[in-house]
Amino acid sequence: MSLKQFKVPLLLLIIGIILTIIGALFKIQHKPNGSLLLTAGTFVEFCAIFLGIIKLIKVARQ
């Protein structure tokens, strides 16, 4: 098992974490679109975790 196989899920996870942190900061400062950024970040994190689990299952079956 190589980490190169998990490059896309890890990249998506990092992007999702960044979006979530920025969204939380926007919410704290009462700036517009904070909720949108939080929602988008959480959705991207979910997609990354889902893709990572699928990759793990594919690797385990080989």
Side-chain angles (χ1 to χ4, degrees):
M1 178 166 45
S2 173
L3 284 179
K4 288 183 180 181
Q5 296 173 341
F6 298 101
K7 188 187 294 186
V8 172
L10 286 175
L11 185 64
L12 280 176
L13 187 64
I14 291 170
I15 291 171
I17 290 170
I18 290 170
L19 284 174
T20 303
I21 290 172
I22 292 172
L25 290 174
F26 272 39
K27 289 288 282 187
I28 290 170
Q29 296 176 354
H30 301 290
K31 292 187 178 182
N33 299 326
S35 297
L36 179 65
L37 285 171
L38 275 172
T39 304
T42 305
F43 181 73
V44 171
E45 288 175 3
F46 171 76
C47 290
I49 292 170
F50 187 71
L51 282 173
I53 290 171
I54 289 176
K55 293 248 183 199
L56 277 174
I57 291 172
K58 285 183 178 179
V59 168
R61 286 186 178 180
Q62 291 178 355

